Amino acid sequence: MKQPETTASTTAEAVQERMLRHDAFSQLLGLEVEQVGPGYCRLHFTVRPDMLNGFAVLHGGVAFAAADSAFAFACNSHGRQSVGLTVTIDYLEAGKLGDVITVEAREESLKHKVGVYQVRATNQHGVVLALFKGTAYRTSKAIL
């Protein structure tokens, strides 16, 4: 009997669920994944007091970590284990206590061994807080 074919979206969802289940740090940040698909992830989190730096604004490391998680969910969404090669982030505005930050990762290029992703972090008013670019190496190891 032939097994039903897994769609690309179903694979992306299964990979994201598996990754998040084992990702204690993303859970600690309170990241909530809204949507995932092939080469794509959108998640959000709320800025808590323990996420603020000494100037009472969102710590850059928190913004980076949230963007890195969205990048990871997007680049692994095709079912092949991928690892970051290089990433950069530009901080444009500061997040504030209580802000709801949406982080959206989009695949810009996908080749056999390398994928490139753009990630935007915005607040609830649509203000862009950070721009992140990630390049991932795609291994031959299947995730599922």
Side-chain angles (χ1 to χ4, degrees), residues 40-76:
Y40 179 80
C41 177
R42 185 177 66 236
L43 57 83
H44 72 272
F45 68 98
T46 301
V47 178
R48 305 182 310 246
D50 62 335
M51 296 175 169
L52 302 179
N53 66 18
F55 298 106
V57 296
L58 181 63
H59 192 290
V62 174
F64 183 94
D68 190 50
S69 289
F71 165 57
F73 296 142
C75 70
N76 282 283

Side-chain angles (χ1 to χ4, degrees), residues 16-132:
Q16 176 269 312
E17 288 173 11
R18 179 171 183 248
M19 289 176 66
L20 189 57
R21 184 172 51 247
H22 298 286
D23 185 347
F25 192 69
S26 289
Q27 292 174 32
L28 176 72
L29 293 176
L31 302 184
E32 295 184 39
V33 178
E34 296 173 16
Q35 185 177 356
V36 68
Y40 179 80
C41 177
R42 185 177 66 236
L43 57 83
H44 72 272
F45 68 98
T46 301
V47 178
R48 305 182 310 246
D50 62 335
M51 296 175 169
L52 302 179
N53 66 18
F55 298 106
V57 296
L58 181 63
H59 192 290
V62 174
F64 183 94
D68 190 50
S69 289
F71 165 57
F73 296 142
C75 70
N76 282 283
S77 66
H78 299 287
R80 282 176 46 192
Q81 188 173 1
S82 299
V83 295
L85 284 175
T86 60
V87 296
T88 60
I89 191 165
D90 292 314
Y91 299 103
L92 308 177
E93 295 286 341
K96 297 175 180 51
L97 181 63
D99 277 353
V100 176
I101 309 298
T102 299
V103 183
E104 190 170 32
R106 292 182 186 276
E107 189 170 84
E108 297 296 328
S109 174
L110 183 66
K111 304 295 182 200
H112 179 65
K113 289 289 187 181
V114 175
V116 177
Y117 299 80
Q118 295 284 346
V119 184
R120 293 170 61 94
T122 59
N123 68 13
Q124 68 275 15
H125 305 294
V127 175
V128 179
L129 305 180
L131 297 172
F132 175 109

